[in-house]
Amino acid sequence: MNTIKLTVAQALIRFLTMQKVERDGVVQPFFAGCFGIFGHGNVGGIGQALHQMPDFKFYQSRNEQAMVHTAAAFAKMKNRLSTFACTSSIGPGATNMITAAAGATINRIPVLLLPGDIFSTRKVDPVLQQLEASYTQDISVNDCFKPISKYWDRINRPEQLINSLPAAMRVLTSQDETGAVTICLPQDVQAESFEFPESFFEEKIWYIPRPVPEFELLKRAAELIRNSKKPMIIAGGGVIYSEATDELKSFIEQTGIPVGETFAGKGALPFDHPLNLGATGATGTKGANVHSTEADLIIGIGTRYSDFTTASKTAFQNKEVKFININIAAFDAFKHGALSLTGDARATLEALSKLLEGFETDIFYRNKAAEFNISWDEKVSEAYLPNSEGLMYQSEVIGAVNDFSDPKDVVLCAAGSLPGDLHKLWRTRDPKGFHLEYGFSCMGYEIAGGLGAKMACPDREIYVMVGDGSYLMMGTEIVTSIQEGYKLTIILINNNGYASIGGLSKSLGTEGFGTSYQYRNPETGQLDGGFLPVDLAENVRSLGAELIKAENNHSLKDALKQAKEYSKTTVIYVETKPERKLAGYGHAWWEVPVSEVSEKDSVKDAFGKMKENQKKQRYFN
């Protein structure tokens, strides 16, 4: 056996360089490089290897959480067929990655995490940043990654890499198992050498199949659809990851089944398709929520049925409702007691279409969906209209950006009140035009995610929409975008606090307590002493970005034109009203606990409303 002497870190990087994936005859590298921040736990190992092997491109980040967000956003835009590795030092460098790693796993997005770890030899014990435990020495902060990793390992001996890395790649490239994968690297082991087999570094192509459910299951699904009167499709992110949007369009035009879209599935159909009911669930449109309430058959495609999609299990009220789930992951396909079609969305839709030849929903049912599509678009136009008095509404800002953007441009967001408004109001014209991280709804994802989206699709304009709350959590990757020459257009909306949770607080009877950015009032002892004089615009400028301020609809439109001419990341700063134009429709409830006992009447009222909504919740087994 021919061998080559390399350090563990060198062998790791060399192995990753040779990993490729193939789907539909297209072969591409799986890793686009490595993000990292060096510390004593990885600089002499992984840092040395990356320095020695510049072909595996290294990208510098400003925050370990941010770099994992960037990798996840990149992978999302690439339909999970490519991603980044992310390396950190030990201790806080590693634990900073946990938040974003959890988001990647929740959203079924592949990222590879390479945190440094404590000395394997234990000669130096405790080392700087080591977590000590009285009951074992076989533990470090990296064990915290276990519950949020789809695969986890610690390399205590060099030869363990030979078995561990293929196992990690199997999970990363598996469409049904993918998520965050963690390979912990003790700092001493990273630098140790070993005679690795040369065959370990040969090119490896991981084939991504398109499995189809058993024919008997397809026949049963077709029979359920033929016997239904009011079927409805819920399109999730799996439709887009599978590149099944054309097949979905053909399928619904053949059968006349209308579609509601989840956050991850928005863009599965163009916004103006007559059978597109738009956003569904807690942040849904009127048409989508009316149809989900009445549907006798729900066909979930690539959705994991989050509580926003199901309106906390109140969306489906037909007593006879049944479910068919098309999903690459059996874990999701069996939810709601569904007939489980475990398989690739595109291939499964193609197979079902053949079994449903001649089937079509009633003309009145199809027309009802088309009427909802038109009437909702009229509401969107109204929400986009400028307000002549004072600050703009958030919906006006969304409208200005949507109207200005090109069909292939991308809007990107993650947390606050913006996602709900974007879900209802953004007119998506391209399957990749709507990028929301709403499985974890992680504040701070926005700018880091925007960078990842731009790296994946440099020919598209990326419009990052971010509130002041998320910006203050993590605006640092503006610096990285400028360093690497990836231009973002960031619309920074300031409403002086956590507007979304402020509104939720009011709905729960707690009057927005602790959700606005105000001084401590010495008279009341509360945070109601007037707004803080934080100048976010000057902060943006200090990070090196271009800055444009917009005060009204007209100046915002001018700012968007100006921003498109700039070659580097540009921030458009705008202040908005805290109120929102559009409320929920139909079963648009989202369950958040309300205090059962309170001295405040507002809380008592909110508790009563919660109990009434809970009566509509259903189990599906």
Side-chain angles (χ1 to χ4, degrees):
M1 181 177 65
N2 295 326
T3 63
I4 180 171
K5 190 172 185 178
L6 297 169
T7 68
V8 166
Q10 291 163 2
L12 169 63
I13 299 304
R14 187 163 179 169
F15 176 89
L16 297 183
T17 303
M18 302 305 293
Q19 306 307 298
K20 297 183 178 180
V21 293
E22 177 186 352
R23 185 165 76 177
D24 301 332
V26 178
V27 177
Q28 59 183 302
F30 186 67
F31 291 101
C34 182
F35 271 96
I37 296 177
F38 295 129
H40 70 276
N42 65 342
V43 67
I46 294 290
Q48 187 279 329
L50 288 167
H51 177 253
Q52 181 174 307
M53 295 180 240
D55 288 346
F56 198 75
K57 197 167 184 179
F58 171 71
Y59 295 89
Q60 192 178 66
S61 187
R62 271 71 203 167
N63 181 288
E64 290 90 354
Q65 178 181 326
M67 67 189 183
V68 182
H69 286 322
T70 300
F74 178 92
K76 182 180 174 78
M77 291 298 290
K78 289 288 190 179
N79 289 330
R80 308 190 293 195
L81 299 176
S82 183
T83 190
F84 282 92
C86 296
T87 179
S88 77
S89 188
I90 71 171
T95 56
N96 276 353
M97 294 198 292
I98 290 175
T99 296
T105 292
I106 284 170
N107 288 305
R108 286 44 166 180
I109 301 294
V111 293
L112 175 61
L113 312 176
L114 304 171
D117 213 328
I118 57 176
F119 278 80
S120 181
T121 61
R122 301 181 186 169
K123 286 181 181 177
V124 185
D125 185 26
V127 297
L128 179 65
Q129 300 172 333
Q130 179 175 342
L131 173 71
E132 293 184 271
S134 60
Y135 56 90
T136 183
Q137 297 206 28
D138 186 25
I139 195 170
S140 78
V141 296
N142 288 346
D143 288 78
C144 296
F145 284 96
K146 286 181 176 178
I148 50 91
S149 295
K150 299 297 286 188
Y151 179 85
W152 184 98
D153 200 3
R154 178 178 283 124
I155 306 301
N156 285 310
R157 292 177 58 87
E159 58 267 39
Q160 290 174 347
L161 207 63
I162 299 171
N163 289 326
S164 182
L165 289 183
M169 284 301 303
R170 182 194 67 77
V171 174
L172 284 166
T173 60
S174 169
Q175 295 293 288
D176 62 320
E177 285 191 67
T178 197
V181 165
T182 304
I183 304 292
C184 308
L185 300 167
Q187 53 187 311
D188 54 342
V189 176
Q190 287 181 47
E192 289 180 17
S193 65
F194 183 74
E195 293 285 348
F196 288 92
E198 285 188 355
S199 59
F200 186 56
F201 306 110
E202 293 175 357
E203 180 182 87
K204 171 73 172 179
I205 299 175
W206 299 82
Y207 182 74
I208 311 298
R210 292 191 178 275
V212 181
E214 286 189 13
F215 186 66
E216 179 61 31
L217 290 172
L218 289 168
K219 285 199 303 181
R220 294 182 186 187
E223 184 179 1
L224 278 176
I225 294 170
R226 287 184 181 277
N227 291 334
S228 67
K229 301 298 181 184
K230 294 182 177 181
M232 177 187 178
I233 290 170
I234 294 181
V239 174
I240 296 171
Y241 300 146
S242 175
E243 299 173 293
T245 54
D246 288 342
E247 284 69 26
L248 176 64
K249 182 172 179 287
S250 297
F251 183 80
I252 65 170
E253 289 175 353
Q254 172 189 332
T255 61
I257 301 175
V259 177
E261 297 173 316
T262 71
F263 279 95
K266 190 171 171 70
L269 289 174
F271 79 95
D272 55 355
H273 192 287
L275 288 171
N276 188 356
L277 297 166
T280 190
T283 52
T285 68
K286 183 177 181 180
N289 286 347
V290 166
H291 275 73
S292 65
T293 299
E294 299 176 354
D296 58 0
L297 179 65
I298 296 294
I299 306 168
I301 308 177
T303 178
R304 62 190 189 91
Y305 288 109
S306 78
D307 59 346
F308 264 73
T309 298
T310 68
S312 296
K313 296 288 179 73
T314 65
F316 314 120
Q317 290 295 305
N318 189 316
K319 292 181 180 180
E320 305 300 323
V321 67
K322 294 180 175 62
F323 293 84
I324 297 171
N325 289 339
I326 301 170
N327 207 296
I328 193 69
F331 179 82
D332 293 315
F334 278 90
K335 288 178 178 176
H336 286 192
L339 174 64
S340 170
L341 301 184
T342 304
D344 175 76
R346 191 168 94 179
T348 303
L349 283 173
E350 289 172 342
L352 263 183
S353 293
K354 295 175 183 178
L355 294 175
L356 288 170
E357 288 182 3
F359 170 79
E360 192 172 16
T361 59
D362 184 270
I363 183 64
F364 296 105
Y365 187 63
R366 300 196 301 275
N367 287 344
K368 180 181 177 181
E371 288 167 5
F372 272 126
N373 178 273
I374 292 170
S375 63
W376 183 256
D377 198 53
E378 291 171 352
K379 284 189 177 293
V380 172
S381 295
E382 291 173 10
Y384 282 7
L385 288 175
N387 171 51
S388 59
E389 298 180 6
L391 298 174
M392 285 184 283
Y393 283 102
Q394 188 164 268
S395 59
E396 298 172 49
V397 178
I398 292 171
V401 178
N402 202 170
D403 288 343
F404 179 79
S405 64
D406 292 331
K408 281 202 163 188
D409 293 344
V410 180
V411 65
L412 189 144
C413 190
S417 60
L418 273 165
D421 285 351
L422 286 164
H423 195 204
K424 287 195 285 278
L425 297 176
W426 190 263
R427 289 166 167 156
T428 310
R429 297 156 285 176
D430 180 88
K432 286 295 179 182
F434 188 84
H435 185 124
L436 264 283
E437 190 292 287
Y438 213 63
F440 213 39
S441 185
C442 187
M443 296 178 72
Y445 175 91
E446 293 89 344
I447 295 173
L451 173 60
K454 186 68 174 180
M455 293 175 78
C457 302
D459 58 325
R460 297 176 187 251
E461 292 286 336
I462 309 296
Y463 291 96
V464 175
M465 301 197 74
V466 59
D468 52 322
S470 276
Y471 176 82
L472 285 169
M473 289 221 178
M474 194 175 299
T476 53
E477 298 318 295
I478 285 176
V479 179
T480 309
S481 72
I482 293 169
Q483 179 182 36
E484 295 293 343
Y486 288 106
K487 183 256 180 113
L488 307 174
T489 300
I490 301 167
I491 295 85
L492 173 53
I493 298 175
N494 187 4
N495 46 37
N496 292 296
Y498 306 114
S500 174
I501 298 303
L504 179 61
S505 171
K506 291 172 184 175
S507 74
L508 302 179
T510 50
E511 302 171 349
F513 173 75
T515 60
S516 61
Y517 296 154
Q518 299 193 56
Y519 284 106
R520 177 76 61 188
N521 187 334
E523 294 182 5
T524 66
Q526 302 298 318
L527 296 173
D528 58 6
F531 290 116
L532 299 174
V534 178
D535 194 331
L536 296 181
E538 284 303 313
N539 180 259
V540 163
R541 188 179 278 119
S542 74
L543 295 177
E546 299 284 358
L547 174 70
I548 310 170
K549 290 185 177 181
E551 297 178 352
N552 52 43
N553 197 277
H554 178 74
S555 63
L556 176 56
K557 291 177 179 178
D558 286 344
L560 289 164
K561 293 176 185 176
Q562 188 178 347
K564 195 162 187 178
E565 299 301 316
Y566 288 143
S567 60
K568 70 174 181 178
T569 291
T570 302
V571 176
I572 299 172
Y573 175 83
V574 57
E575 296 184 6
T576 62
K577 297 176 183 287
E579 300 85 8
R580 298 162 70 188
K581 279 189 178 181
L582 293 177
Y585 293 86
H587 289 286
W589 181 58
W590 182 48
E591 183 173 14
V592 177
V594 182
S595 179
E596 190 170 355
V597 178
S598 175
E599 297 174 357
K600 290 183 174 288
D601 290 338
S602 56
V603 176
K604 294 175 183 177
D605 290 342
F607 182 78
K609 291 176 182 177
M610 181 191 72
K611 298 303 289 184
E612 285 300 311
N613 278 306
Q614 285 178 335
K615 293 177 182 177
K616 301 169 186 173
Q617 290 179 312
R618 298 184 60 188
Y619 290 105
F620 302 104
N621 300 311

